[in-house]
């Protein structure tokens, strides 16, 4: 990418898209095209076609998606598969038709089989059954990877895919029912602190292991990949370290300053036992995350207090 190139960030208001926008601005890019969901419905094929014909972007970051946590994924199954399939199909196809030089598609670590060996390597895709609670969303994301691969195979399009681990940070979603584990816990522990609750109940046993990456570290990695990576194989983006949900809760408890008890409800589902990414491809390019977990939680909590909390 050159500084004069026109770059379209699909989903620039979301956590990933806004981090990508911050990174590009920081690096000196100014010819950045964005549209809010009110301005452009990405599930509308004709609207997306007209946008590409008019805007003519040269590079595309496809960060737009319908996202949510374990509860939302399980309840709104049709919404998650339909909307994500439509968004990625429309943008990838129009990028091909209009000669986009390079496109980056953002997937999710939930694409891997529930019981895949750890750490998760790119080659494990489609080698086993998916986690049932988020299967529709995972299938949509797998379809996005295969779209990029297929347009590369048939047309030579330089479309690449990245699979981030669990993300958190600036602009996260703190909805009490539709958020991911990190923001959900930040909100719950904050409210327990404010309300002087003697205890909170957490879903599951606390034993599952999860890896977390601050979203600005993801943007840094993806900027590097957009500059240096042109291969067909999608790329895992993670830090290479994980933590149990139980330890995570106590870490957030410490950052938030909640002094009550944590109780685990083992009757609720744990989800996938472990999801640790093998980020060898990325690490071999010389990238490493800059923000540690406790530091990142403190930054996320400050962002939550500065406005995110009041918006939900």
């Amino acid at each position: 990418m050159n500084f004069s190139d026109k770059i379209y960030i699909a989903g620039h208001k979301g956590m990933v898209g806004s981090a990508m926008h911050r990174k590009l601005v920081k690096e000196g890019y100014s010819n950045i095209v964005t549209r809010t969901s009110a301005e452009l419905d990405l599930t509308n094929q004709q609207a997306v076609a007209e946008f590409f014909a008019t805007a003519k972007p040269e590079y595309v970051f496809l960060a737009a998606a319908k996202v949510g946590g374990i509860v939302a994924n399980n309840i709104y199954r049709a919404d998650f598969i339909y909307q994500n399939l439509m968004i990625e199909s429309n943008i990838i196809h129009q990028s091909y038709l209009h000669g986009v030089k390079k496109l980056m598609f953002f997937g999710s670590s939930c694409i891997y089989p529930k019981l895949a060996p750890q750490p998760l390597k790119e080659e494990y895709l489609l080698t086993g059954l998916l986690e049932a609670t988020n299967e529709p969303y995972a299938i949509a994301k797998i379809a996005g990877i295969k779209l990029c691969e297929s347009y590369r195979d048939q047309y030579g399009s330089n479309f690449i895919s990245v699979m981030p681990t669990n993300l958190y940070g600036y602009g996260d979603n703190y909805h009490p029912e539709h958020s991911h584990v990190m923001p959900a816990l930040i909100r719950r522990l904050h409210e327990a602190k404010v309300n002087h609750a003697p205890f909170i109940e957490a879903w599951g046993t606390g034993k599952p292991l999860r890896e977390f990456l601050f979203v600005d570290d993801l943007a840094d990695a993806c900027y590097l990949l957009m500059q240096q990576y042109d291969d067909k194989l999608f790329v895992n983006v993670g830090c290479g370290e994980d933590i149990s949900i139980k330890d995570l809760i106590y870490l957030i408890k410490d950052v938030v300053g909640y002094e009550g008890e944590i109780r685990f409800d083992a009757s609720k589902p744990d989800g996938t036992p472990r999801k640790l990414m093998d980020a060898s491809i990325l690490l071999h390019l010389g990238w490493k995350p800059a923000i540690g977990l406790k530091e990142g939680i403190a930054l996320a909590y400050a962002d939550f207090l500065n406005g995110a909390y009041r918006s939900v």
Side-chain angles (χ1 to χ4, degrees):
M1 294 186 301
N2 296 314
F3 293 118
S4 60
D5 290 327
K6 183 177 282 189
I7 303 168
Y8 170 46
I9 303 176
H12 75 288
K13 288 288 191 178
M15 181 171 64
V16 170
S18 60
M20 205 68 247
H21 192 278
R22 285 193 300 274
K23 176 63 177 178
L24 291 172
V25 170
K26 180 181 176 182
E27 294 294 334
Y29 293 85
S30 58
N31 196 6
I32 302 172
V33 180
T34 59
R35 293 290 187 277
T36 64
S37 57
E39 294 169 328
L40 176 60
D41 178 3
L42 294 175
T43 67
N44 184 315
Q45 187 180 54
Q46 184 61 35
V48 176
E50 291 173 357
F51 164 74
F52 270 81
T54 303
K56 296 180 171 60
E58 296 167 276
Y59 291 84
V60 173
F61 289 91
L62 207 180
K66 179 174 180 60
V67 297
I70 186 172
V71 175
N73 270 280
N74 198 34
I75 295 174
Y76 305 107
R77 299 172 74 84
D79 292 347
F80 273 88
I81 192 167
Y82 172 76
Q83 292 185 32
N84 284 299
L85 284 172
M86 294 300 293
I87 290 167
E88 64 203 27
S89 297
N90 289 338
I91 293 177
I92 290 170
H93 186 61
Q94 292 302 322
S95 293
Y96 153 66
L97 290 179
H98 292 275
V100 166
K101 295 176 182 177
K102 191 169 186 179
L103 174 145
M104 174 178 284
F105 170 69
F106 290 83
S108 166
S109 60
C110 72
I111 63 167
Y112 285 109
K114 178 176 181 177
L115 301 177
Q118 302 289 325
L120 296 165
K121 297 182 179 181
E122 289 87 353
E123 64 201 60
Y124 298 159
L125 183 67
L126 298 176
T127 59
L129 296 174
L130 299 165
E131 161 61 38
T133 56
N134 61 14
E135 183 186 67
Y137 176 73
I139 288 173
K141 287 299 183 179
I142 292 170
I145 298 170
K146 294 303 178 182
L147 277 167
C148 289
E149 292 179 356
S150 298
Y151 277 81
R152 175 184 290 269
D153 289 343
Q154 185 170 345
Y155 301 117
S157 303
N158 191 8
F159 296 169
I160 65 173
S161 300
V162 295
M163 295 304 116
T165 188
N166 296 295
L167 301 171
Y168 70 103
Y170 302 129
D172 210 340
N173 171 23
Y174 293 92
H175 191 281
E177 296 176 0
H178 304 155
S179 56
H180 288 104
V181 60
M182 178 77 83
L185 288 171
I186 289 174
R187 176 173 180 147
R188 288 195 65 201
L189 286 160
H190 170 78
E191 291 181 342
K193 172 188 172 183
V194 170
N195 295 324
H196 305 289
F199 68 91
I200 69 161
E201 286 191 350
W203 271 38
T205 63
K207 293 179 181 179
L209 297 165
R210 292 292 182 271
E211 176 185 21
F212 295 93
L213 185 70
F214 198 81
V215 70
D216 285 51
D217 277 335
L218 169 72
D220 186 58
C222 290
Y223 178 74
L224 174 67
L225 290 168
M226 203 65 163
Q227 300 281 12
Q228 298 187 19
Y229 188 81
D230 295 307
D231 292 345
K232 178 178 177 178
L233 184 65
F234 67 90
V235 180
N236 287 336
V237 182
C239 63
E241 297 180 3
D242 54 11
I243 183 174
S244 73
I245 295 298
K246 180 178 180 179
D247 288 343
L248 176 68
I249 291 174
Y250 281 102
L251 189 58
I252 297 172
K253 180 177 183 283
D254 182 50
V255 170
V256 170
Y258 173 60
E259 297 180 352
E261 180 187 355
I262 309 296
R263 298 178 183 176
F264 292 89
D265 183 355
S267 69
K268 296 293 194 299
D270 271 336
T272 306
R274 190 184 192 195
K275 286 199 299 184
L276 177 65
M277 307 286 267
D278 183 326
S280 299
I281 294 174
L282 181 59
L283 297 174
H284 286 159
L285 291 175
W287 177 86
K288 62 180 181 179
I291 301 170
L293 185 56
K294 188 168 185 178
E295 176 191 359
I297 292 171
L299 292 172
Y301 184 49
D303 185 55
F304 170 78
L305 294 176
N306 287 336
Y309 177 59
R310 293 188 294 275
S311 67
V312 292

